[in-house]
Amino acid sequence: LPKSSGPATPTPSLVAATDTAGQTWLSEASMPTPSAAWTVAASTLRGSRISTGFGETCAALMDGRVDCWGLGFTNTPVPVAGASGIVALSAGESQICGVSTYGTVECWSYSQPSDPSATAPAEAMDGVAHAIGIGVGFNGGCAILTGGTVMCWDTEDDPTLIPGLTGVTAIALDGYACAIVGGGAVKCWGQSLDTGGVNDGMVSSKLYAVKGISGATSLAVSGMGGCVVVAGQVKCWDDQLKPARVGGVSTATQVATGGDYECVIVTGGKVKCWGANANGELGIGTTSSRKTATTVSGISGATAISASGWTTCVLIAGNDFRCWGGNEEGELGDDTLIDCAVPLGPIGLSSVSSKCGSPIVAQESPTPSPVATATATATPTATATPTTTATPTSSPTPVPST
């Protein structure tokens, strides 16, 4: 993995502040002065504070700390040593990375399940600065830099600028990578992208356009397929990069892809899912699959979403995180290994308020000072959205419109 330069620099709590030019920043201390370090403006942030990965789930809290649970951690949220000032993150197969308010990329790896205390502390990645977005996948990661360029790394290569990518507003990784570029088009590259027999690796100069896509505003990939939101509709593709529209969805704002299912946030913050459901990943109270988008039980006001092989999580607001679906590795954070077909939560601040089978009692989320909220355009999950198995899963299955 790429070299790291040491523990992350601490940062103050994220309390929104506005400078004399009217620009909103993540914290008063982060507003630029002649001697201040470069900082991420909330209006330019591209990413999510919740991410499900390959058996683990991580959340960036309002004060910039990070809690993780599941594979390599424990079955309840535990803080990640050295992680501070994190404003967006993405969980991958062997590495979890976050963007700090200073534009650095901080990464950490989970421990062996037998020794959660051995989790490696967060360290800054050498060679990456001015980052505003993040995605981590099967064997590497990428960061969106200010100006819309992208740097990627994998197990063989240090962070490298990807030629030909400009104007990037969202990025998502699994076994391969895709980005939304200027005009809302989508370009993809990477190890599992087998277009014409090519197997390029995450650090690649070969880009492939997803046919017929423009105006995309949200992006997710899983296995060798992916989905985007275009004007409220969802379009998904397989390894041939030929998208088809999903029927029954017209007001989507964000999309997430799991192993063999998809979910969207729709206008008003409700969540709809469709596809396979053996572990309750659709959140509809049963384990029956659905061919059409079905509303998740008890969720409203969702602002970000992430899906993996069979686990789904959303951020409502503040530190209010809700998860459901597969729980083989403790991904739901409820101190059990029991799958759950309805949302659990709120999860956050190192506590879980309900377990599967218990009523989901509405609780008031912690009320932090107001903070400028950037809409997650990808589920670097989160949203960049990796699968839960160590091998890439099947591609999303588009549902033809009728």
Side-chain angles (χ1 to χ4, degrees):
L1 293 176
K3 298 177 181 179
S4 298
S5 58
T9 303
T11 187
S13 297
L14 304 181
V15 180
T18 303
D19 62 22
T20 56
Q23 172 66 62
T24 300
W25 296 82
L26 291 171
S27 67
E28 183 175 355
S30 72
M31 286 193 298
T33 64
S35 60
W38 187 90
T39 53
V40 180
S43 60
T44 65
L45 184 64
R46 302 286 184 263
S48 172
R49 291 199 291 119
I50 182 71
S51 182
T52 57
F54 290 69
E56 78 284 1
T57 305
C58 291
L61 307 181
M62 286 295 292
D63 62 3
R65 294 180 297 114
V66 173
D67 276 2
C68 291
W69 55 96
L71 178 65
F73 297 95
T74 66
N75 298 338
T76 58
V78 293
V80 174
S84 63
I86 302 300
V87 293
L89 51 71
S90 180
E93 190 267 340
S94 60
Q95 187 181 50
I96 305 157
C97 296
V99 173
S100 80
T101 190
Y102 295 114
T104 59
V105 170
E106 321 292 343
C107 295
W108 58 97
S109 58
Y110 52 73
S111 68
Q112 296 299 316
S114 59
D115 185 14
S117 64
T119 299
E123 295 185 343
M125 179 170 290
D126 286 343
V128 182
H130 297 189
I132 59 173
I134 190 74
V136 182
F138 181 64
N139 69 342
C142 298
I144 305 175
L145 309 183
T146 184
T149 56
V150 171
M151 295 189 78
C152 295
W153 59 91
D154 56 26
T155 55
E156 303 296 331
D157 300 284
D158 287 341
T160 302
L161 195 67
I162 303 299
L165 278 181
T166 58
V168 173
T169 59
I171 195 165
L173 282 77
D174 191 348
Y176 76 121
C178 291
I180 297 177
V181 298
V186 176
K187 293 185 178 182
C188 301
W189 67 99
Q191 178 171 337
S192 294
L193 187 60
D194 195 20
T195 302
V198 177
N199 194 343
D200 303 321
M202 198 59 66
V203 178
S204 172
S205 60
K206 298 178 180 179
L207 303 176
Y208 304 90
V210 178
K211 303 172 180 67
I213 295 294
S214 63
T217 54
S218 177
L219 166 70
V221 300
S222 181
M224 290 174 18
C227 297
V228 291
V229 174
V230 178
Q233 298 181 349
V234 175
K235 297 182 178 182
C236 296
W237 61 87
D238 57 16
D239 58 354
Q240 298 302 306
L241 302 183
K242 296 179 180 178
R245 186 170 73 84
V246 175
V249 180
S250 60
T251 62
T253 59
Q254 294 180 47
V255 64
T257 56
D260 198 16
Y261 74 103
E262 290 78 44
C263 294
V264 292
I265 298 177
V266 298
T267 302
K270 290 187 177 297
V271 175
K272 294 185 176 184
C273 298
W274 63 94
N277 193 31
N279 301 93
E281 51 263 53
L282 301 188
I284 58 177
T286 76
T287 54
S288 299
S289 61
R290 290 290 187 271
K291 292 183 178 181
T292 58
T294 304
T295 301
V296 174
S297 309
I299 293 293
S300 62
T303 59
I305 187 167
S306 179
S308 60
W310 49 76
T311 306
T312 314
C313 293
V314 295
L315 166 63
I316 305 299
N319 289 320
D320 187 346
F321 303 96
R322 313 289 178 104
C323 297
W324 61 90
N327 199 25
E328 181 179 354
E329 304 290 349
E331 299 98 315
L332 301 186
D334 67 340
D335 201 22
T336 77
L337 298 177
I338 301 171
D339 296 347
C340 196
V342 294
L344 296 175
I347 298 170
L349 296 177
S350 300
S351 65
V352 183
S353 66
S354 64
K355 296 182 179 180
C356 200
S358 303
I360 304 298
V361 179
Q363 296 189 13
E364 184 177 355
S365 302
T367 306
S369 302
V371 61
T373 301
T375 301
T377 57
T379 347
T381 45
T383 239
T385 44
T387 56
T388 313
T389 55
T391 55
T393 60
S394 57
S395 304
T397 303
V399 180
S401 57
T402 56

